[in-house]
C-alpha cells in the first residue's frame, strides 16, 4: 500500500510517500512544495494544487493523509490560511479520485512515538529511525508528512 502524507501550509507544504511492503515501511519519495509570500494568494494556491496533482499522477498513491486543523484561539488567521491550502489539496485528491484520510496531530504522535504530546524532535528521530534514514530531513514539514503516512499504516493495521 502506497501512502502519501501531506503537511499543508501556504509557504512550505511537506510531503512524504511510503510503501508498506510485508509490514516494512519503505520511503519512496519526500520533499516540499514551496511558495513565495511575494506572490498572489491565488498563484500560491495554484502552485500547491498543481504540485499535488503532479505528485499524485507521478506516484499513484492508494491514499492521501492530512493532518486535521487545530485552530488556536489566539491565531485564527493561521487556521484560515491553512484551510485554504488544505482545500486545494482536498480538491486535488478528489480530482485524482484518491481516498483522503485525516488525523489529529496528537493521534499521529501517539501512533508513531507512543505519546500524543511528543515533541517535534521525538517525531523527527522516530520517523528517521523507522525509515532507516541516515539523517533527519531538513524540513520538519517533511518529517510531519512522513509521520502522517506512518501513522496511517499503523492505524489501518490495527483496524484490520
Amino acid at each position: 500500500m502506497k501512502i502519501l502524507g501531506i503537511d499543508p501550509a501556504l509557504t512550505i507544504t511537506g510531503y512524504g510517500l511510503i510503501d508498506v511492503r510485508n509490514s516494512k515501511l519503505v520511503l519512496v519519495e519526500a520533499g516540499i512544495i514551496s511558495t513565495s509570500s511575494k506572490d498572489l494568494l491565488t498563484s500560491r494556491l495554484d502552485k500547491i494544487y498543481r504540485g499535488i496533482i503532479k505528485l499524485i499522477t507521478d506516484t499513484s498513491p492508494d491514499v492521501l493523509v492530512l493532518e486535521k486543523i487545530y485552530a488556536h484561539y489566539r491565531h485564527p488567521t493561521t487556521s484560515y490560511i491553512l484551510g485554504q491550502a488544505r482545500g486545494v489539496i482536498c480538491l486535488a485528491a478528489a480530482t485524482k479520485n484518491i481516498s483522503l484520510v485525516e488525523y489529529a496531530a496528537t493521534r499521529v504522535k501517539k501512533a508513531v512515538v507512543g505519546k500524543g504530546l511528543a515533541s517535534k524532535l521525538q517525531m523527527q528521530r522516530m520517523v528517521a529511525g523507522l525509515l532507516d534514514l541516515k539523517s533527519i530531513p531538513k524540513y520538519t514539514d517533511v518529517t510531519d508528512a512522513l509521520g502522517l503516512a506512518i501513522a496511517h499504516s499503523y492505524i489501518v493495521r490495527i483496524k484490520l
Side-chain angles (χ1 to χ4, degrees):
M1 169 186 267
K2 286 204 246 181
I3 306 168
L4 176 60
I6 299 179
D7 181 36
L10 197 53
T11 304
I12 296 176
T13 293
Y15 66 87
L17 180 71
I18 63 168
D19 195 356
V20 183
R21 300 177 190 158
N22 300 322
S23 298
K24 181 166 173 44
L25 303 173
V26 178
L27 174 64
V28 177
E29 182 177 341
I32 62 167
I33 299 168
S34 63
T35 68
S36 171
S37 60
K38 295 175 185 174
D39 294 335
L40 293 172
L41 175 63
T42 53
S43 297
R44 296 172 80 184
L45 292 171
D46 182 60
K47 184 172 182 181
I48 294 168
Y49 174 77
R50 289 176 188 274
I52 298 300
I53 288 288
K54 181 171 178 8
L55 185 61
I56 292 170
T57 301
D58 292 350
T59 62
S60 303
D62 297 302
V63 63
L64 190 149
V65 186
L66 282 177
E67 187 175 293
K68 286 185 179 178
I69 289 181
Y70 169 76
H72 193 279
Y73 71 94
R74 289 187 177 170
H75 308 286
T77 304
T78 302
S79 62
Y80 170 74
I81 292 168
L82 180 60
Q84 292 178 340
R86 284 174 43 85
V88 297
I89 293 166
C90 292
L91 177 61
T95 300
K96 298 303 280 181
N97 200 29
I98 300 293
S99 296
L100 178 74
V101 180
E102 298 177 283
Y103 297 114
T106 52
R107 180 69 179 104
V108 172
K109 291 175 182 180
K110 177 82 172 165
V112 176
V113 178
K115 287 178 21 181
L117 298 176
S119 70
K120 284 273 190 191
L121 184 58
Q122 287 173 310
M123 275 294 288
Q124 289 174 313
R125 287 182 176 166
M126 186 61 82
V127 166
L130 290 168
L131 296 174
D132 295 323
L133 303 179
K134 292 181 178 24
S135 63
I136 293 173
K138 177 181 175 181
Y139 296 97
T140 58
D141 312 86
V142 172
T143 308
D144 290 349
L146 289 167
L148 284 160
I150 292 167
H152 182 70
S153 77
Y154 291 165
I155 292 166
V156 168
R157 223 179 287 157
I158 292 167
K159 289 182 181 178
L160 295 178

